[in-house]
Amino acid sequence: MKLDERHLIQLAAVVQSGGVTEGAASLGLAQPAVSRTLAMLEKRLGEPLFVKGRRPLQPTPLGRALAEHGQAMLIASRKASDLVTSFHHGRSGLVRIGGTPFFMDALISGTIAEFQNQFPDVRIDQSYGYLPELQAGLLAGRLDLAVCPVDILDEGSGLRFQEILPGRNVVACRSTHPLLLKRKIRAPDLLDYPWIAPPPGSPLLADLRSLLLSLGATEIKVRYSGGSLTSAMTYLKGTDALTVLPHGVVFAFRKEKAITALPIGLPHPERALGLLRLAEAPRSPAAEAFAGHVKESFDTLRHLIKRHEQAVVWGA
């Protein structure tokens, strides 16, 4: 015998509420409609569902057993409704985000933690890559968002870019570096020390080469290359090596007071950090909510970095 799930849900609501009127109200139904459902169900079963003459209503053993199944369906139905509501408001779902390693580790990982403290039912899947890989991931539907530095997008790329932080590079070193004792740092002084080269494929590698060419250097002493942000920072703290990093990354480590930026000005790269996504794609409320959180967080970060920049006397 096949029973209608809706009838079992109505039975469960009546048993839980102790009355037909109350049960109907909990489901947003009219009392006469629920009464007809129960009468029809009893007729089909050939058995009573409630003990006659008892108030509040007392289910028979069969009525209680069926109500337990209906209660499970009712709970599942309400959970499904809550899930749909939560999804539409961006409070649940999956966000697949990719980004350049240094920015993801220094800035975005903390932003993800802040977001999930507010929306614990949103799952974040993170991956690493540089612009070509991230573009391919977005176009293939493997990513919802990418966080990366971009100078210019090709016309007809199918992507849109939202800037969250302007590009600015600095020469990073440990906070006890000998150059910080100089009254005035000259650009050629930078060539007296070894360097950490950014990972292959990183835009920072091109920036480092441009910097050294502007100093007239034909070669530099690269002592360490290809490491992660954590390993590069650990190496930087323990040596007099120098490296080129985005100011935002160095700023993110300011509370540790172990690394800093030399007060020497560098040419700004013709790119900015931002959110990259498909121009035309089905809307993912969770991804939109996360993108909004990133934008809001970086609005605050931009203000703090700007204030810090104004407090430093940058050399020529």
Side-chain angles (χ1 to χ4, degrees), residues 214-231:
S214 71
L215 300 177
T218 56
E219 61 179 0
I220 60 169
K221 295 178 286 187
V222 173
R223 294 282 179 80
Y224 185 72
S225 63
S228 65
L229 177 61
T230 300
S231 60

Side-chain angles (χ1 to χ4, degrees), residues 32-297:
V34 174
S35 295
R36 286 195 297 270
T37 295
L38 296 179
M40 182 173 58
L41 186 57
E42 285 185 328
K43 183 176 181 180
R44 185 174 185 191
L45 293 170
E47 295 284 344
L49 296 173
F50 295 94
V51 178
K52 294 186 180 300
R54 294 291 184 90
R55 290 292 183 273
L57 292 179
Q58 179 179 331
T60 62
L62 176 61
R64 184 173 298 280
L66 292 175
E68 289 176 357
H69 289 288
Q71 182 66 21
M73 296 174 188
L74 180 59
I75 292 172
S77 175
R78 286 174 175 169
K79 283 184 177 180
S81 297
D82 291 343
L83 177 63
V84 171
T85 301
S86 182
F87 176 83
H88 284 308
H89 288 84
R91 297 193 298 268
S92 67
L94 170 66
V95 179
R96 301 163 302 168
I97 181 170
T100 49
F102 282 14
F103 279 117
M104 294 300 289
D105 290 350
L107 299 172
I108 301 301
S109 57
T111 305
I112 292 173
E114 293 170 355
F115 178 78
Q116 289 189 310
N117 284 337
Q118 298 181 45
F119 303 104
D121 293 329
V122 175
R123 173 179 165 182
I124 305 288
D125 281 358
Q126 177 192 304
S127 58
Y128 294 110
Y130 294 108
L131 184 59
E133 297 94 338
L134 298 174
Q135 285 181 304
L138 289 166
L139 293 172
R142 297 190 300 270
L143 294 175
D144 301 305
L145 292 168
V147 180
C148 58
V150 171
D151 46 10
I152 187 170
L153 285 175
D154 295 332
E155 186 176 356
S157 67
L159 303 171
R160 61 187 174 97
F161 179 74
Q162 181 182 22
E163 179 181 326
I164 57 176
L165 202 63
R168 182 188 178 104
N169 287 338
V170 295
V171 176
C173 64
R174 65 175 175 174
S175 57
T176 56
H177 198 282
L179 283 176
L180 294 170
L181 300 176
K182 284 180 169 287
R183 182 182 295 270
K184 183 176 182 180
I185 301 173
R186 298 178 301 112
D189 294 334
L190 304 179
L191 302 179
D192 294 334
Y193 295 90
W195 286 78
I196 301 173
S202 168
L204 290 172
L205 187 57
D207 294 341
L208 175 59
R209 289 170 178 160
S210 297
L211 166 65
L212 297 171
L213 285 174
S214 71
L215 300 177
T218 56
E219 61 179 0
I220 60 169
K221 295 178 286 187
V222 173
R223 294 282 179 80
Y224 185 72
S225 63
S228 65
L229 177 61
T230 300
S231 60
M233 288 297 184
T234 302
Y235 186 89
L236 200 64
K237 294 172 188 176
T239 69
D240 285 335
L242 305 172
T243 193
V244 172
L245 288 175
H247 191 196
V249 171
V250 177
F251 185 81
F253 288 87
R254 68 194 184 282
K255 293 181 180 179
E256 296 183 13
K257 299 181 180 179
I259 65 166
T260 187
L262 291 176
I264 182 167
L266 300 182
H268 295 323
E270 294 297 324
R271 72 177 77 92
L273 179 70
L275 295 170
L276 194 63
R277 68 188 97 179
L278 287 176
E280 301 292 337
R283 181 175 175 268
S284 166
E288 291 296 321
F290 179 70
H293 180 79
V294 171
K295 181 67 170 60
E296 183 178 339
S297 297

